[in-house]
Amino acid sequence: MDRLSTVTNGLTSAQVAGAKANHVPRRSSRSLSAIVRANVFTLFNLVIGVLWALVLIFGEWQDSLFGLVIVANVLIGIVQELRAKRTLDKLAVINEAPVRVRRDGEERLVQPRQVVLGDLILLGPGDRLLVDGEVVESDGLEVDESLLTGEADPMHKQPGDQVLSGSFAVAGAGAFVATRVGTDAYAVKLAEEASKFHLAHSELREGVANFIKYITWLVIPIGALLIYSQLKHSADFGTAITGAVAGIVTMIPEGLVLMTSIAFAVGVVRLGRRECLVQELPAIEGLARVDVLCLDKTGTLTAGGMDLDQVLPLGDGHPVEDALAALSHLDHSPNATAQAIRSRYPGARDGWTAGETVPFSSARKWSGADFGERGAWLLGAPDVLLDGGDAYDRAAGLAATGARVLVLCRARTLPAPQAGPPSTPQDGDGGSGSSSGLERSDSSSVDEARAGTSPPGVERGGSSPLGVERGGAGVEAVAIVTLKQRVRPDAHETLRYFAKQGVTVKIISGDNPVAVSAIATGLEIPNAHRSIDARDLPYDDQAKLGELLDSHAVFGRVSPQQKRQFVTALQARGHTVAMTGDGVNDVLALKDADLGIAMGAGSPATKAVAQVVLLDDRFATLPHVVGEGRRVLANIERVSNLFLTKTFYAIVLSLLVGVAGVMFPFAPRHSTLTNALTIGVPALFLALAPTFERSKPGFVPRVLRFAVPAGVLCAAAVLLSFWAAHSGTSTLVENQTSAVIALFLTTWWVLVLIARPLNWWRIALVASMAAAFAIGLTIPFVRHFFALEPGGIGNSLTAVGISLVAAAAISAAVKVAGTLRT
C-alpha cells in the first residue's frame, strides 16, 4: 500500500499485525521484581541476617526469634504491595482512554497499548497524544505543547508538521501518522530520564530515609563498641555474642519501613475499592496535608453535560434555529455545549454548508463559521462578543441566576482566530454569561489591586483579544441561548465535610463570576457572594494576588495560565493545594498543584497528569480520599514514634553498657517479647486505624521530640532496674528479668501515650498487651522459653517503682515537647 492510501485509509489489518506496538511501563505501579528487591535486599536485612547467623552458631535458638520476625516482615510487605499493585493495574486499565484510529478505511477505538507504528490517529479537542507523529489532516487543529516546551500558547498544526507525545489537542480536529511509539516516543524518554534522577517530593519518605541513614551510621560504631565490651567482660563467648546482638538488633527500626509500606499499600487498596486510582504513592501523603482545595465548577460541582434551556431571539426574521443547528454540527467531537444544542436540533439544515470555520476554544470563548450566502455566524460568551447594550444587560441578568449564557451573533466576515493560552473545549468554560466590574460586590478592592494590569491575552474593553469587534457594525446579536447546569446532588454534603475539616474551598472557573457565584452561594460556600473576575486581578504582583486568593472564594473568567498562577500564589503563602479538574485547561494547574485530582469523565490529558483520578466521577469520593491520606500519614507518625523510641533506648543502653563494660541487661529473646507486645502487634492496628487529623509539616522534628526523651528515660529505667537487682545475690537471668519488667512497663506506657485519644478498641489493645505479658510471667513454659525468672519480690517491686517514676517523667517530657496527643 502506498503512502497516500495509508494516509487516507490507515493501516490494513495485516500491516497492524506486523508493526511495532506502543508498549510503555505503567506509571501507577512497579514490577514484581522491583517489589521483591525493595523488601528483601535492604541494608537492615543484611545486618540482621548476619546477626541471626551468629546467634544460631554461638547462642541458643530461642534467641534467634528476631530473625523469624524479619522473614515475616518481608513476606507481609511483599504481599501487601502485590495487593496494591493488582489494584493499581486494574484501575489503570480502566483509566486508559481509548485511542481513535483509522484502519482499513474505518474509524476504530483501540487501547493505547494496541497503537502501532504507522497508525493513522485521529484527534479531537481534549485528546492526549500518546505517540510522536506527523500531521496529515488539520481542520483548525491546535495543540498545546506547554508540558514539553513551556510555551504557553497552543500551536496551530498543518499537514507536514511534527507532533510530540505528551502534548494534547485543545481545539479543532485532525489526524497524524505515528512515527515513534513505545519507549521511542519523546514523552516516554523524558519520563525515563526523570525517573532516574527525580522522585516526587515526600516529607514522610525523606524523613524515614533520613532516620534509617543516620541510625545506620550510629549502629556501626556503637555496635562495634558493644561487641568489644561484651567480649572483654564475659567469660562465655556465646553469652557475649548474644548480649551484643540484643543491643544491635534493638537499635534497628526494622518494622518502620514495613509499616510505612503497609500503610501506603492498604491506603491504595481502600481507595481502589472506591474507584479512586492513585497514580503516585506520594499522593497519599499529599492527601493528608491539603488545606486548600481548588475546584473547577464545570464537571466538579456540576455534573457532566448540560441541557439547552431557552433560545431567546432578539429580533424577527433571523434563522436562529437553523444557525444553531448548523454551528452545533460542525465539530466531529462536540463539547458539552454543542451536545446540548444538538439534542434540541438533531440534524443540520439543508443549505447550511460551512466554508471557513473557527473551532471553539475557552481561550477564545467563541466559535464560528462562514456559511457563504447565509453569512458568518458566531456563538460564544456575551462579554467577549458584545460591548454593552440591551442584549449585554439581558445576558448579564440571566447569568446572575447561575445559568450558562451564550449569545448567537451574525457577522459580516468570520474573524481570524489567534492563538491564546491553553484551553479546553470539553469543559465549556467559555460559554457562560456576561460579567463586568459593576456586577461584583467587591469590585473596588480588586480594581485597587489591579492598578491597570491584565494578564497576557486578556483585555477588558474595546475589542476582544481575538479580533472580534465588540458591539461594532460587523457583529449583530441575534439571540441569547441559556443552558441548565446540573449541580451534583452530593456537592452540598461534600463541601460541608471540607468546611468541618478546615479545608478552604476555592471555586476557580472560566465561567462568568456572577453565574459561578450564584451556584456557589446555593451550595453555602463561605464568602461565595464575593466573586472576582480574574481579568481584573494583578497577575504581575504575586503577593497581592495571594492576598486576594486568601480573602475570596469564587473566581470567574480564569484563564488556564491564571489557574496555574493561582496555585503558585497559594503555595507561596504556605498552603498545601489540591486542584481538581476535568478539562484540558486544568492540565497546567493540576501539574503544579501539590495534589492534582482528575475526574474520571475528564479529558485524557487531564487524567494523564493527575496524581489521583476519581474513576467513578463522583465528587463525593473526595472526602474519602482526603480521609485516607490523613489516616495513612497520622498513623505512620504514630508507629514512627514507637519504633524510634525503641531505637533510641537501645542506642543509649548500648553506649552506657559499652563504656561501663558490663553485661547487656537483656537477651535477644527478651527484646523479641517486649517489642512484639509494645511495638509490633500494636503498630499493625495503629497503622490502619481511622483518624481525622490534618497532617502538618515537621514530621521529623515532631517524631524526634517524642522519641529521644522517651527513649532516654526508658533506657535509664532499664539500667537502674538491672543494676538494682545486680547489687544483691541474684543470678544474671533474674537481673535481666528485672530489666525486662522495667523495659516492658516503660515502653507499654509509651504505647498508651501514642495510642491516645483512647477509645474502646485502643483501650482493649493496650490492656491486652499488658495482660499477655502478665500471663507470660505466670506460665512456666513461657517463662522458661523466654528465660524469665522474677526471683525475689523485692527486685520486681523495685523494677515496677522505677518504671512508674520513668512513666511520669516520659509523660512530662513529651508534654513539654508539645507532642502529646490529647
Side-chain angles (χ1 to χ4, degrees), residues 551-570:
S551 59
H552 294 76
V554 176
F555 303 85
R557 288 292 181 242
V558 184
S559 72
Q561 284 294 332
Q562 282 181 304
K563 289 186 178 185
R564 193 177 196 179
Q565 291 173 352
F566 283 14
V567 169
T568 303
L570 287 167

Side-chain angles (χ1 to χ4, degrees), residues 440-488:
R440 298 186 305 278
S441 60
D442 60 340
S443 60
S444 59
S445 64
V446 181
D447 290 339
E448 291 171 5
R450 181 180 173 224
T453 62
S454 296
V458 177
E459 302 174 16
R460 294 290 290 151
S463 63
S464 80
L466 296 159
V468 179
E469 186 67 30
R470 294 194 189 122
V475 176
E476 176 189 5
V478 172
I480 291 175
V481 179
T482 66
L483 300 104
K484 291 188 295 186
Q485 302 173 96
R486 310 158 190 162
V487 176
R488 293 180 182 270

Side-chain angles (χ1 to χ4, degrees), residues 736-798:
Q736 288 180 330
T737 301
S738 295
V740 171
I741 291 173
L743 177 63
F744 174 80
L745 291 176
T746 52
T747 54
W748 179 82
W749 184 248
V750 169
L751 170 63
V752 171
L753 296 178
I754 289 173
R756 296 177 68 177
L758 297 174
N759 53 22
W760 70 267
W761 72 264
R762 287 177 177 172
I763 292 173
L765 175 66
V766 297
S768 63
M769 297 300 101
F773 184 77
I775 292 171
L777 286 176
T778 61
I779 299 175
F781 167 75
V782 176
R783 286 206 314 269
H784 176 73
F785 185 87
F786 285 104
L788 296 172
E789 295 180 12
I793 189 67
N795 287 348
S796 298
L797 290 176
T798 300

Side-chain angles (χ1 to χ4, degrees), residues 316-559:
D316 298 327
H318 294 292
V320 172
E321 294 186 354
D322 291 348
L324 286 173
L327 288 170
S328 67
H329 283 82
L330 289 175
D331 199 336
H332 295 294
S333 302
N335 59 23
T337 300
Q339 289 174 357
I341 297 174
R342 279 188 182 188
S343 64
R344 177 81 60 89
Y345 309 112
R349 307 301 165 86
D350 294 336
W352 287 76
T353 302
E356 184 182 359
T357 63
V358 176
F360 177 80
S361 159
S362 63
R364 283 186 288 271
K365 303 194 184 299
W366 61 271
S367 62
D370 189 337
F371 294 99
E373 62 182 17
R374 298 186 183 275
W377 292 80
L378 312 176
L379 181 67
D383 56 331
V384 172
L385 298 177
L386 304 178
D387 188 21
D390 292 341
Y392 182 95
D393 294 338
R394 190 173 178 184
L398 291 168
T401 66
R404 183 182 291 270
V405 183
L406 305 171
V407 62
L408 176 67
C409 297
R410 188 166 187 168
R412 290 179 179 173
T413 59
L414 186 66
Q418 300 175 18
S423 57
T424 178
Q426 290 204 335
D427 61 2
D429 274 348
S432 60
S434 64
S435 62
S436 71
L438 297 177
E439 295 167 349
R440 298 186 305 278
S441 60
D442 60 340
S443 60
S444 59
S445 64
V446 181
D447 290 339
E448 291 171 5
R450 181 180 173 224
T453 62
S454 296
V458 177
E459 302 174 16
R460 294 290 290 151
S463 63
S464 80
L466 296 159
V468 179
E469 186 67 30
R470 294 194 189 122
V475 176
E476 176 189 5
V478 172
I480 291 175
V481 179
T482 66
L483 300 104
K484 291 188 295 186
Q485 302 173 96
R486 310 158 190 162
V487 176
R488 293 180 182 270
D490 51 17
H492 195 279
E493 182 179 348
T494 303
L495 291 170
R496 189 184 298 123
Y497 164 85
F498 285 120
K500 186 185 299 183
Q501 294 298 314
V503 178
T504 303
V505 174
K506 307 289 183 185
I507 309 300
I508 299 176
S509 175
D511 285 353
N512 169 21
V514 178
V516 179
S517 178
I519 292 176
T521 302
L523 293 171
E524 299 181 4
I525 295 176
N527 295 322
H529 63 285
R530 302 179 64 203
S531 62
I532 291 183
D533 189 316
R535 293 172 295 184
D536 292 335
L537 289 173
Y539 79 97
D540 56 352
D541 187 344
Q542 283 287 94
K544 191 64 181 179
L545 177 61
E547 291 179 14
L548 290 169
L549 287 168
D550 261 346
S551 59
H552 294 76
V554 176
F555 303 85
R557 288 292 181 242
V558 184
S559 72

